[in-house]
Amino acid sequence: MASRNVTIELDNATLSQLSKQGARLYVLRAVTSADRTGQPTVWYTNSTLLASNYVSWDATYEAYISTDPLTAYEVVRPQSKTKIAPSQVAVISEPGTLTTQTGDLEGRFQIENSSKTAYTCGIIGDSAVGGNYCAFHVTVGGLVVITPTDKVFFMFASQKFDVGTIILQSFGAGIIVDVPAGNTNLNFNINSGWSADTSTNFELVAAGEKLQEKLIIPSQMIFASQMQN
């Protein structure tokens, strides 16, 4: 069973208006890293909206590499991947293979490039549900340190983006939720926007706000970062 379950409720008027707009639900995931080349990517999308919309996942991860560049609003396609867990390092070797080893940074995910080619790299979270969380540039001989978080961004938008697309800004009213294990309930109203239970830690995101600074969180700031109610 998935360890995290989010239900997004829509009233009839909201569902009708979103349907007329051709809106889709988009979900992006936040990670921490000191590497500022990182960009957030679409992890999950749903174009078949109903009154109750569910997103569920567990804590399984893969590291990936790709030859796709870090180009805004283009898809980064994982081309080689390997299972990875906290405190492990995924090593890139010739000819673009990935193997997982024990790392030296407790709780962190590392991607180390021992090959002769630079790549785009990142983390995939629960690939049975969606795609990649993020996309970073890893140089020859380079090391990227990434830590997935439980912070999740939700928005409805009429623009069409595939899973893995680099997104620079929010295209509608959005919300970043610190999703705990178990069940979390959210509501979206076409007039008043997002709302959640008072026990839920969240931050509202206005249309047009930049997402890189919100979803690629500087490592040194993660423990000081506070979500807003």
Side-chain angles (χ1 to χ4, degrees), residues 34-209:
D35 188 329
R36 305 318 297 155
T37 68
Q39 297 292 342
T41 59
V42 174
W43 173 61
Y44 170 84
T45 181
N46 177 18
S47 60
T48 307
L49 302 178
L50 296 170
S52 296
N53 303 276
Y54 307 104
V55 187
S56 301
W57 66 91
D58 61 23
T60 59
Y61 304 98
E62 294 173 302
Y64 79 88
I65 58 173
S66 173
T67 57
D68 292 329
L70 293 175
T71 303
Y73 305 110
E74 295 293 336
V75 176
V76 174
R77 302 162 298 177
Q79 293 169 277
S80 184
K81 56 189 179 181
T82 184
K83 291 183 179 179
I84 193 171
S87 307
Q88 291 187 330
V89 52
V91 179
I92 309 167
S93 304
E94 296 293 348
T97 59
L98 278 170
T99 55
T100 303
Q101 303 176 7
T102 301
D104 56 1
L105 295 178
E106 184 176 357
R108 303 297 180 98
F109 295 61
Q110 302 173 68
I111 301 175
E112 177 183 319
N113 191 358
S114 296
S115 76
K116 299 177 181 179
T117 305
Y119 290 100
T120 295
C121 71
I123 296 296
I124 300 170
D126 196 348
S127 58
V129 179
N132 27 336
Y133 283 11
C134 53
F136 288 76
H137 180 71
V138 59
T139 59
V140 174
L143 176 71
V144 175
V145 181
I146 306 168
T147 304
T149 78
D150 293 324
K151 300 182 192 301
V152 186
F153 172 76
F154 301 88
M155 74 172 177
F156 292 101
S158 57
Q159 289 81 358
K160 183 179 179 180
F161 301 116
D162 293 328
V163 167
T165 302
I166 294 174
I167 300 292
L168 299 187
Q169 67 178 38
S170 179
F171 284 85
I175 186 172
I176 298 175
V177 183
D178 198 351
V179 180
N183 300 315
T184 299
N185 294 311
L186 305 176
N187 291 275
F188 181 75
N189 180 277
I190 198 68
N191 295 313
S192 57
W194 291 91
S195 60
D197 296 338
T198 55
S199 60
T200 302
N201 292 321
F202 67 91
E203 175 187 357
L204 297 177
V205 179
E209 285 198 56

Side-chain angles (χ1 to χ4, degrees), residues 197-225:
D197 296 338
T198 55
S199 60
T200 302
N201 292 321
F202 67 91
E203 175 187 357
L204 297 177
V205 179
E209 285 198 56
K210 296 179 180 179
L211 293 180
Q212 195 265 358
E213 58 194 40
K214 293 182 176 295
L215 300 181
I216 309 296
I217 305 169
S219 298
Q220 63 271 24
M221 295 175 60
I222 183 59
F223 298 110
S225 178

